Amino acid sequence: MVIKQYLAIIGFVLIVLISTQLVKSEASSDTEEMYVTTEDIISDIVFPTIDKKVISEYGGDNLFDWQWKRIVDITYNDNHSYDVTVRIEIPPKNDHDGVKEDLVKVRISPSCDNVKINQKICNHGFKIEIVDYKHLSS
């Protein structure tokens, strides 16, 4: 008889503990989950700079379409900046032209406004600039 009472009490406590755990857990629908790669992040950062350069190289307007193919190389520089070389594809303007490929080297310079970074070597703010632009096909 005593064992039945203990089992009933333990069962009651377990039910109470489990139900409080379920009540405390919440599903957040505000968070948008999406898988992104490092290349996606770099693309988002440098896209506007490359877009302006491609438009100036080939003419056209903001609707001019080009495609990001892949990152070819990333190099770290001593002054706390990174050179990212990207292969891009330029669509033909008319039926007689073929698809063109270009290499764009972009320098990403993160801000140096942290005391943990050597200020003698790194003395720039955040900036993105085109370092080199090569036409691979004519």
Side-chain angles (χ1 to χ4, degrees):
M1 185 82 140
V2 175
I3 294 175
K4 287 183 181 180
Q5 289 176 342
Y6 284 128
L7 288 175
I9 292 172
I10 290 173
F12 178 75
V13 169
L14 284 174
I15 290 172
V16 169
L17 289 175
I18 290 172
S19 66
T20 58
Q21 292 297 322
L22 292 176
V23 171
K24 288 183 182 178
S25 66
E26 294 181 12
S28 175
S29 62
D30 296 340
T31 306
E32 183 178 318
E33 291 187 28
M34 189 167 93
Y35 177 77
V36 294
T37 65
T38 304
E39 189 158 348
D40 294 328
I41 295 168
I42 292 172
S43 170
D44 281 350
I45 292 170
V46 301
F47 181 85
T49 304
I50 293 176
D51 191 53
K52 288 177 189 173
K53 182 64 176 175
V54 170
I55 289 171
S56 73
E57 286 287 319
Y58 289 95
D61 56 16
N62 289 337
L63 299 177
F64 183 68
D65 193 22
W66 57 273
Q67 290 187 342
W68 175 285
K69 295 316 271 180
R70 66 184 180 92
I71 292 176
V72 176
D73 185 40
I74 298 177
T75 306
Y76 177 75
N77 302 312
D78 289 341
N79 67 347
H80 189 65
S81 66
Y82 301 87
D83 288 347
V84 180
T85 305
V86 178
R87 182 181 297 269
I88 63 171
E89 190 174 87
I90 313 298
K93 286 188 176 184
N94 56 49
D95 293 337
H96 306 315
D97 295 337
V99 173
K100 296 177 182 170
E101 285 192 332
D102 294 349
L103 276 182
V104 185
K105 184 187 276 188
V106 181
R107 180 160 296 146
I108 302 172
S109 302
S111 177
C112 298
D113 62 353
N114 189 312
V115 295
K116 295 178 183 177
I117 298 173
N118 185 346
Q119 298 295 315
K120 292 179 184 175
I121 295 173
C122 182
N123 56 7
H124 50 76
F126 180 80
K127 65 181 176 179
I128 299 172
E129 59 188 328
I130 302 290
V131 177
D132 191 26
Y133 194 102
K134 292 181 183 173
H135 299 280
L136 298 179
S137 53
S138 49

